[in-house]
C-alpha cells in the first residue's frame, strides 16, 4: 500500500561485539512507498456448453485491477478460431459444423501496462442436433457436360423466398417456417441455388417419421440449410437408426436403402449420386446419366409416380412461364422437351417406398 513507513529498535538490547558494552538509544529506519502496482486479475468467464451452432459470445468483463488501473485485453484462440475483435472485452465468434464435437479453448491476457495476468475459457460443442451433408442430383436440370444442374430458375428470379412444401398431407413437417434472404440467390457458380428440396428423417426402429424440413439445393448437388452455406440441421433429435428421404416438387422421391446410425456431434455424409445400392429400390428408383445417379423427373402432380396424368398436366401448361411443377427441366418455361425428354422416358415408374 502506498505511504511512509518507520521501523525503530532499542539498541540497549544489543551489545558491542568487542567491548561487550550495551548499546544506547534507539535507531530508526524510515522508507516511503510511492506506489505499489498490483497485478490485474484476468477472468475469462465460466466454461460454455453450446447446444446450437451460431454466434457465441466470450466475456472478460469479470477482469479487474486492484489499483483501478485501466486494462487492455487480448484474446487468443488456441484452435485458430476467428474472433470478431481479439482486443475487445467481450468478443464473439461463429460456431459452425466444422466445430461440432470439439472443445474450443480461448486464452485471455489482461494488462495494466506493466503487469499481465491470464485466464482460460473452454467452449464445449455438444449439440443435440443432426447435421446432414446430403448430395443428390435432379434429372430435369442436370447436364452431363459439366456435371452440374442448371440454375435458370435462380437466374430468372423465379425461386420463392419461402419453400413450396407446405402441404402437410405430403410433407409432414412442411408447416415449419423457413425463408431465405434474397442475397443467397446472388451466389453464382457451383454453389448457386437450383431450387428447394425437402428432407425427411424416419426412425427405423419405430417405423415413424421423426422430423423433416425444407432446404436449398446447389448446382453441384449439395443440400444446404436456408442460409445457403451450412449443412442441413435437424434440431433435438436423439441418436439412433434413421433412413433419409429426399423430395422435390416434380421429381420422384428417393430414400436411403439402409439405416444410418446417427451419432450426435458428428456430421453425416449422405451421397446418393454415386452408388444406386445406397438407394431403396436400386436402379428402379433413379436414372443414370453417364454413371451419375439422378432423381427421376416427371412427377408433376407430386404423387410419387410418373403417370399419364402428369403428361396431361404438362400439356395443359405448355408454353407457360414461371415457377411451375410442369417445367421439368426447370428453365422457367413449360415446353415439349419437358414432356418428350424429361417425362415420357420415365412413364410408369415411381417411388420405391
Amino acid at each position: 500500500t502506498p505511504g511512509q513507513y518507520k521501523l525503530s529498535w532499542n539498541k540497549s538490547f544489543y551489545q558491542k561485539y568487542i567491548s561487550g558494552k550495551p548499546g544506547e538509544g534507539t535507531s530508526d529506519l524510515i522508507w516511503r512507498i510511492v506506489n505499489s502496482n498490483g497485478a490485474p486479475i484476468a477472468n475469462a468467464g465460466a466454461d460454455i456448453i453450446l447446444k446450437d451452432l451460431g454466434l457465441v459470445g466470450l466475456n472478460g468483463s469479470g477482469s479487474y485491477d486492484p489499483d483501478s488501473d485501466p486494462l487492455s485485453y487480448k484474446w487468443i484462440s488456441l484452435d485458430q478460431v476467428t474472433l470478431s475483435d481479439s482486443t475487445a472485452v467481450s468478443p464473439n465468434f461463429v460456431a459452425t459444423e466444422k466445430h461440432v464435437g470439439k472443445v474450443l479453448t480461448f486464452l485471455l491476457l489482461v494488462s495494466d501496462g506493466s503487469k499481465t495476468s491470464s485466464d482460460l475459457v473452454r467452449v464445449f460443442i455438444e449439440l443435440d442436433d443432426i447435421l446432414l451433408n446430403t448430395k443428390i442430383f435432379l434429372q430435369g436440370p442436370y447436364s452431363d457436360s459439366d456435371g452440374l444442374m442448371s440454375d435458370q430458375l435462380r437466374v430468372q428470379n423465379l425461386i420463392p423466398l419461402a419453400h413450396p412444401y407446405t402441404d402437410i398431407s405430403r410433407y409432414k413437417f412442411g408447416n415449419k417456417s423457413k425463408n431465405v434472404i434474397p442475397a443467397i440467390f446472388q451466389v453464382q457458380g457451383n454453389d448457386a441455388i437450383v431450387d428447394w428440396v425437402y428432407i425427411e428423417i424416419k426412425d427405423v426402429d419405430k417405423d415413424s417419421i421423426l422430423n423433416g424440413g425444407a432446404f436449398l439445393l446447389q448446382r453441384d448437388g449439395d443440400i444446404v440449410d436456408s442460409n445457403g452455406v451450412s449443412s442441413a440441421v435437424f434440431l433435438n433429435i436423439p441418436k439412433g437408426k434413421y433412413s433419409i428421404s429426399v423430395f422435390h416438387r416434380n421429381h420422384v422421391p428417393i430414400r436411403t436403402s439402409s439405416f444410418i446410425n446417427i451419432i450426435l456431434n458428428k456430421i453425416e455424409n449422405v451421397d446418393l449420386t454415386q452408388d444406386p445400392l445406397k438407394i431403396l429400390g436400386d436402379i428402379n428408383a433413379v436414372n443414370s446419366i453417364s454413371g451419375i445417379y439422378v432423381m427421376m423427373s416427371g412427377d408433376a402432380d407430386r404423387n410419387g409416380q410418373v403417370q399419364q396424368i402428369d403428361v396431361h398436366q404438362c400439356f395443359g401448361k405448355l408454353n407457360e412461364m414461371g415457377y411451375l411443377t410442369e417445367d421439368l427441366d426447370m428453365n422457367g418455361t413449360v415446353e415439349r422437351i419437358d414432356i418428350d425428354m424429361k417425362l415420357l422416358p420415365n412413364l410408369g415408374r415411381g417411388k420405391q417406398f
Side-chain angles (χ1 to χ4, degrees), residues 149-168:
M149 289 175 287
S150 168
D151 61 337
Q152 276 300 304
L153 293 180
R154 178 197 68 83
V155 172
Q156 298 176 52
N157 297 316
L158 294 175
I159 304 175
L161 297 180
H163 74 79
Y165 302 102
T166 55
D167 182 357
I168 60 174

Side-chain angles (χ1 to χ4, degrees), residues 9-295:
W9 69 92
N10 190 338
K11 292 189 286 186
S12 64
F13 291 104
Y14 303 90
Q15 292 181 336
K16 296 182 178 180
Y17 178 73
I18 298 177
S19 67
K21 293 181 179 181
E24 297 178 351
T26 60
S27 291
D28 296 327
L29 175 62
I30 299 174
W31 70 95
R32 181 178 181 82
I33 297 177
V34 177
N35 184 26
S36 62
N37 182 33
I41 306 299
N43 185 342
D47 287 344
I48 300 170
I49 299 177
L50 197 64
K51 292 295 185 181
D52 291 300
L53 299 179
L55 200 64
V56 183
L58 304 177
N59 189 357
S61 64
S63 305
Y64 67 95
D65 187 85
D67 308 311
S68 299
D69 293 330
L71 297 175
S72 62
Y73 298 80
K74 178 67 176 180
W75 290 89
I76 299 173
S77 167
L78 304 187
D79 306 283
Q80 289 74 55
V81 174
T82 301
L83 292 169
S84 59
D85 183 353
S86 62
T87 63
V89 177
S90 301
N92 55 61
F93 70 95
V94 178
T96 66
E97 57 262 36
K98 70 180 181 180
H99 301 129
V100 172
K102 295 182 179 180
V103 179
L104 306 178
T105 304
F106 298 87
L107 172 67
L108 172 62
L109 301 176
V110 176
S111 174
D112 64 359
S114 61
K115 293 185 178 181
T116 301
S117 64
S118 63
D119 192 25
L120 289 172
V121 64
R122 296 170 298 175
V123 180
F124 297 84
I125 315 293
E126 297 181 357
L127 304 186
D128 294 328
D129 308 334
I130 293 176
L131 290 89
L132 296 177
N133 277 345
T134 309
K135 184 171 184 175
I136 61 99
F137 283 120
L138 302 175
Q139 178 185 355
Y142 182 78
S143 171
D144 58 352
S145 63
D146 58 8
L148 299 172
M149 289 175 287
S150 168
D151 61 337
Q152 276 300 304
L153 293 180
R154 178 197 68 83
V155 172
Q156 298 176 52
N157 297 316
L158 294 175
I159 304 175
L161 297 180
H163 74 79
Y165 302 102
T166 55
D167 182 357
I168 60 174
S169 66
R170 286 193 175 103
Y171 315 107
K172 183 176 179 180
F173 294 90
N175 59 348
K176 292 193 297 186
S177 175
K178 186 167 285 190
N179 300 320
V180 298
I181 58 174
I184 290 175
F185 295 130
Q186 301 304 311
V187 176
Q188 302 180 26
N190 290 4
D191 292 337
I193 302 303
V194 174
D195 201 0
W196 288 95
V197 294
Y198 180 85
I199 296 180
E200 198 168 70
I201 297 181
K202 181 179 181 181
D203 188 318
V204 174
D205 291 332
K206 296 180 180 179
D207 192 30
S208 61
I209 304 302
L210 189 64
N211 209 325
F215 300 92
L216 295 170
L217 176 65
Q218 297 178 336
R219 292 189 67 202
D220 59 5
D222 293 335
I223 296 177
V224 297
D225 214 335
S226 56
N227 59 18
V229 178
S230 62
S231 303
V233 177
F234 293 90
L235 304 178
N236 302 318
I237 294 181
K239 62 182 180 180
K241 300 176 182 179
Y242 303 103
S243 64
I244 308 298
S245 301
V246 182
F247 297 78
H248 181 260
R249 59 194 177 87
N250 58 21
H251 285 67
V252 175
I254 57 176
R255 174 176 290 173
T256 54
S257 58
S258 58
F259 70 81
I260 299 172
N261 192 19
I262 296 292
I263 301 174
L264 300 184
N265 297 318
K266 181 178 180 293
I267 300 174
E268 297 292 336
N269 295 304
V270 184
D271 188 343
L272 301 177
T273 69
Q274 300 293 321
D275 184 359
L277 295 178
K278 292 183 178 180
I279 302 169
L280 189 64
D282 198 345
I283 59 174
N284 294 315
V286 289
N287 281 329
S288 176
I289 301 178
S290 300
I292 298 298
Y293 294 92
V294 298
M295 292 174 60

